[in-house]
Amino acid sequence: MRFQLTEDQRALQAGVRELLTRRFGREQLRAAVDAPNLDRALWRELGEAGFFALRLPEADGGVGLGLPEAVLAFEEAGRALLPGPLVATHLAAGEVPGAATGECVVAAVDGTLVEWLDEADTVRGDVTGAVAMRSADPLTPLHRVPRGASADPVAALLTAAEQLGSAARTCEAAVQHARAREQFGQPIGAFQAVKHLCAEMLVRVEVARVAVYAAAVTADPLDIAAAGLLADEAAERGARDCLQVHGGMGFTWESDVHLHLKRAWVRARRGHGAADAEEALAEHLLSPAAR
Amino acid sequence: MDLAYTPEEEEFRARLREWLGKVLPTLPPKPSPDDWPARRAYDLGWQRMLYDAGYAGLHWPVDAGGRRATPTQHLIFLEETEKAGAPYVGANFVGLLHAGPTIAAEGTAEQRARWLPPVLRGEEVWCQGFSEPDAGSDLAALRTRAWRDGDDYVVSGSKIWTSHAEVADWCELLVRTDPRAPKHRGISWLAMPMDAPGITVRPLRTLAGSTEFAEVFLDEVRVPVANRVGPENDGWRVTMVTLSFERGTAFVGEVVACRRVLGELAREARKNGRWDDPVLRRRLGRLNAEFRALWRLTQWNVGESERTGGVPGIGGSVFKLRYSHARQELYDTAADVLGPESLDLSADWTLDRLSSLSYTIAAGTSQIQRNIVAERILGLPKGR
Ligand SMILES: Cc1cc2nc3c(=O)[nH]c(=O)nc-3n(C[C@H](O)[C@H](O)[C@H](O)COP(=O)(O)OP(=O)(O)OC[C@H]3O[C@@H](n4cnc5c(N)ncnc54)[C@H](O)[C@@H]3O)c2cc1C
């Protein structure tokens, strides 16, 4: 047993991070907030890099990798706050023509919400009666649908991976700020109240990380349910604590913290949410298999 | 990334299971928690059985009497023994989990030969004499003095919260050998025989009613200079090695135990009707997620130590921090499942709930662990 990233997986992680830093860095992120349209060129570039076709067999023109690699890529997308129906398009690769290459943007009903309905070329699921919302997340247009669709466990896992990336990023941002910002003649990171917030952020990230990675290896629905709960917690609480560490600046539109928090909220509402995951994990405790 | 065990690892597991199935039914009944001599005998007896079967010191280096098993095999050992309901390390805790590994890493050849085999064979029990009345979290404020007299150190001072002191043969003792040096220098790590003249052990009663730990008074106790592990005045560095072992591997078996307890708790709730409460069910479900993740974290840490080799890193603080709180949440949830019965001191649940309260204090409090994570992992500045 070697529960560690392989060299190839590290290289993949670094490659995706490099691509996203170059193509969707801070400036592009803020530009997207001002004009929230889907960047089709970026979408195709992601397609070329294999983001959507990552798990498609090579015989079908895919990259032929597995869930662990997909999880690493989605973690990076979460870090970068990359907008768009990434999960839906990824899941459609090989089934919807053009999804694998990023030429076709695919949206899907997930729980009772649809993200990016108006921008999508194809929509999966029943969207009759869809009503547009004023989305809390400036980077994710949302519609409510009357008939919800049950979520795919893989969608839940990739969402958890995005949450993990976002949690890791807000932890880093909080630590950077805590080192730089001075009050009372010293960096605020020297104050224990701040230090302990940051330490708890890291602990939540590390716990979510192993849960998400393990679920990617086993693809077990219960592992995925657990990963979702821990990754939601890490992302939502991490963003809140990051906001707190940033003080008044954290409460501004200018800082990126709210973007992480709002996206974390959107992701946490995908699929069935926490209650179903907790019920499934509770039920499993009674099964003979759990002993 | 891989969670599959190799054929060799699976074979190791199968042989261990078979052995456990044979020997566990032959064990004598567990002694009562307050009968310390009986507990000592029981724990040492179990250690001897492990030794005879070749399972002692699995993760220790061969020249320290160990088996040079891989960290993964050690993990399997801890998982299987716990699943089979084998005895806990108990009184052997300090010797096996931190004094021993510290001597293996820092001791001389003679020191390894003198102290390690008896620990593995279940002949000697160790205790940890670090904390003092005025030096707990601020361990380096310790004042117990040792001065040279010929080939001996003469030690005076006092230690507190010393677990198993009553039945220990040896104590890993921190003393100040240079009172003029800065706080973290001038400390030395000694192996002190607990039967030396001048040692008085006064048991302390814990909130659970037991005598888990003790106060140890040292009045001009003579300890041979040859018992010093590491150079004189370099004891703080040696201590860091000890603490990393304490936080690194000490809790692995317990996570497995907590997962078992959680299953028992769910079945208990099903029996007494509390299962129908969705709020409680969801709490149990969340705890399941929590302990699954903590198990994954141990597997990850094992993978990491296999990659880097040697002493576990400060990642142990991340684990200890989360685990100690999860364990308390587990037993608080148990109290909600059991209702008024959770107030009955004759139930194991109640005693376990009480003892879970020590987890955020012992082996470095949660506040201290947060400082470690923030300063040494995240690189935040030290507070003044
Ligand atoms: C069951 C049990 C068994 C033990 N066994 C042993 C043993 O075998 N050998 C041994 O040597 N010791 C042992 N200990 C001692 C243990 O390591 C200490 O209790 C622990 O390190 C805390 O020290 P203290 O009790 O002096 O508390 P203090 O250090 O006085 O702490 C009191 C409170 O102040 C907080 N605090 C202190 N300093 C800071 C800081 N810098 N920042 C923020 N908060 C702070 C603490 O977190 C805590 O909440 C044991 C303790 C227990 C409970």
Side-chain angles (χ1 to χ4, degrees):
Chain A
M1 184 204 57
R2 201 27 112 73
F3 188 35
Q4 290 281 295
L5 297 191
T6 63
E7 284 309 313
D8 287 349
Q9 286 167 341
R10 281 177 206 284
L12 175 91
Q13 192 178 42
V16 180
R17 185 171 304 185
E18 191 276 323
L19 168 77
L20 291 179
T21 316
R22 180 165 47 77
R23 276 300 270 109
F24 198 73
R26 174 102 216 289
E27 266 170 50
Q28 290 99 331
L29 171 68
R30 296 312 302 204
V33 172
D34 294 336
N37 304 314
L38 207 63
D39 180 347
R40 294 276 175 163
L42 171 58
W43 206 257
R44 277 192 299 275
E45 213 173 308
L46 286 171
E48 265 161 43
F51 189 90
F52 302 116
L54 206 61
R55 289 183 309 126
L56 212 57
E58 282 176 87
D60 302 335
V63 188
L65 294 172
L67 266 183
E69 288 76 20
V71 151
L72 294 173
F74 273 80
E75 180 184 342
E76 293 307 317
R79 275 183 79 86
L81 267 176
L82 190 63
L86 295 161
V87 174
T89 305
H90 178 96
L91 288 177
E95 293 171 22
V96 173
T101 53
E103 261 131 343
C104 179
V105 174
V106 184
V109 178
D110 196 350
T112 52
L113 293 172
V114 191
E115 301 174 15
W116 293 94
L117 180 57
D118 292 338
E119 295 266 351
D121 304 311
T122 305
V123 188
R124 307 225 285 175
D126 183 1
V127 287
T128 32
V131 179
M133 299 166 67
R134 268 190 70 205
S135 175
D137 175 10
L139 283 172
T140 312
L142 289 173
H143 281 72
R144 225 187 324 238
V145 289
R147 273 175 305 281
S150 70
D152 180 336
V154 175
L157 177 61
L158 297 179
T159 296
E162 290 183 296
Q163 295 286 58
L164 167 63
S166 175
R169 182 69 198 107
T170 50
C171 177
E172 262 173 41
V175 170
Q176 266 164 12
H177 187 72
R179 284 216 282 257
R181 170 71 172 170
E182 293 197 5
Q183 289 288 294
F184 301 97
Q186 57 182 324
I188 56 169
F191 300 116
Q192 243 180 11
V194 174
K195 200 177 269 186
H196 287 191
L197 275 181
C198 295
E200 288 294 336
M201 288 169 86
L202 181 79
V203 171
R204 288 192 299 260
V205 168
E206 293 306 320
V207 170
R209 179 183 306 285
V210 292
V212 169
Y213 289 1
V217 172
T218 66
D220 174 271
L222 285 165
D223 280 339
I224 293 176
L229 289 174
L230 294 162
D232 283 350
E233 181 196 32
E236 294 182 78
R237 294 198 47 199
R240 267 177 203 275
D241 289 350
C242 181
L243 195 151
Q244 185 67 22
V245 169
H246 279 77
M249 190 198 285
F251 194 69
T252 65
W253 189 264
E254 268 322 292
S255 110
D256 295 342
V257 187
H258 70 111
L259 300 175
H260 277 282
L261 181 59
K262 291 163 178 175
R263 187 75 65 84
W265 282 348
V266 168
R267 294 192 200 105
R269 297 277 155 203
R270 283 190 198 152
H272 291 297
D276 281 2
E278 285 167 348
E279 288 282 6
L281 283 157
E283 197 58 46
H284 185 68
L285 290 172
L286 294 174
S287 78
R291 278 178 225 190
Chain B
M1 263 188 304
D2 193 3
L3 285 162
Y5 293 91
T6 65
E8 294 78 47
E9 288 162 352
E10 287 299 1
E11 192 192 316
F12 174 82
R13 187 194 297 276
R15 264 189 286 128
L16 173 60
R17 267 193 195 161
E18 191 192 333
W19 179 73
L20 287 167
K22 262 201 322 254
V23 301
L24 290 183
T26 70
L27 282 181
K30 273 207 175 105
S32 103
D34 262 338
D35 185 346
W36 275 97
R39 276 178 71 175
R40 175 188 151 105
Y42 183 86
D43 294 342
L44 288 179
W46 169 240
Q47 181 60 30
R48 181 71 204 197
M49 289 170 87
L50 288 172
Y51 179 82
D52 288 340
Y55 288 117
L58 269 185
H59 59 307
W60 289 20
V62 172
D63 75 344
R67 306 264 149 190
R68 212 182 55 202
T70 63
T72 302
Q73 284 174 327
H74 186 220
L75 184 83
I76 292 170
F77 172 79
L78 295 169
E79 184 183 11
E80 291 300 326
T81 44
E82 177 48 49
K83 275 191 175 159
Y88 185 55
V89 275
N92 295 311
F93 185 88
V94 174
L96 283 170
L97 298 181
H98 46 97
T102 304
I103 293 169
E106 297 289 333
T108 63
E110 296 83 59
Q111 290 175 332
R112 288 204 290 268
R114 165 62 192 90
W115 285 307
L116 299 180
V119 167
L120 293 183
R121 286 196 301 257
E123 289 163 4
E124 289 180 349
V125 168
W126 283 69
C127 64
Q128 180 188 36
F130 283 13
S131 307
E132 295 183 8
D134 291 324
S137 299
D138 188 9
L139 187 53
L142 64 93
R143 286 206 297 245
T144 293
R145 279 282 325 268
W147 56 94
R148 288 283 271 267
D149 183 30
D151 290 338
D152 288 339
Y153 286 111
V154 180
V155 182
S156 283
S158 70
K159 295 287 169 177
I160 197 165
W161 322 128
T162 317
S163 303
H164 309 138
E166 275 184 276
V167 293
D169 303 289
W170 293 93
C171 178
E172 49 171 15
L173 188 76
L174 292 187
V175 295
R176 193 162 288 288
T177 31
D178 181 358
R180 283 173 309 275
K183 197 167 150 182
H184 292 94
R185 317 261 168 77
I187 293 173
S188 299
W189 196 108
L190 305 182
M192 176 178 77
M194 287 298 283
D195 59 0
I199 300 180
T200 311
V201 175
R202 193 169 68 84
L204 291 163
R205 206 155 172 230
T206 71
L207 54 68
S210 61
T211 52
E212 196 74 34
F213 46 33
E215 228 171 334
V216 179
F217 299 97
L218 306 167
D219 182 18
E220 305 205 342
V221 180
R222 298 190 83 87
V223 179
V225 171
N227 287 19
R228 192 190 64 231
V229 174
E232 188 169 88
N233 299 328
D234 192 30
W236 187 250
R237 190 187 53 77
V238 183
T239 302
M240 290 301 110
V241 173
T242 309
L243 294 182
S244 72
F245 281 113
E246 186 171 14
R247 288 158 198 165
T249 46
F251 301 105
V252 175
E254 293 191 24
V255 172
V256 181
C258 283
R259 293 188 70 183
R260 193 193 61 230
V261 167
L262 187 58
E264 285 167 19
L265 197 56
R267 289 193 289 281
E268 181 63 35
R270 183 58 166 270
K271 230 172 39 209
N272 74 11
R274 291 287 283 130
W275 188 255
D276 297 336
D277 175 354
V279 175
L280 186 82
R281 265 198 328 265
R282 288 186 60 180
R283 258 172 91 185
L284 290 167
R286 196 163 264 276
L287 277 167
N288 190 2
E290 183 75 26
F291 283 105
R292 276 169 174 261
L294 284 165
W295 176 244
R296 296 312 188 192
L297 193 52
T298 62
Q299 289 178 311
W300 183 267
N301 288 344
V302 160
E304 189 147 336
S305 67
E306 252 171 34
R307 193 161 57 87
T308 56
V311 178
I314 39 180
S317 289
V318 170
F319 180 84
K320 202 248 173 194
L321 200 40
R322 184 83 176 206
Y323 170 68
S324 55
H325 291 270
R327 188 181 175 101
Q328 290 174 359
E329 173 62 21
L330 172 65
Y331 284 103
D332 284 350
T333 307
D336 283 353
V337 169
L338 298 169
E341 244 183 86
S342 68
L343 300 173
D344 183 351
L345 266 185
S346 54
D348 279 352
W349 293 109
T350 312
L351 286 174
D352 287 341
R353 185 184 190 199
L354 288 171
S355 77
S356 79
L357 297 172
S358 74
Y359 279 72
T360 47
I361 299 170
T365 68
S366 288
Q367 286 69 36
I368 294 301
Q369 305 296 344
R370 288 190 191 103
N371 286 350
I372 292 171
V373 170
E375 289 167 13
R376 292 204 243 144
I377 302 180
L378 296 176
L380 286 170
K382 272 194 175 312
R384 278 184 237 145

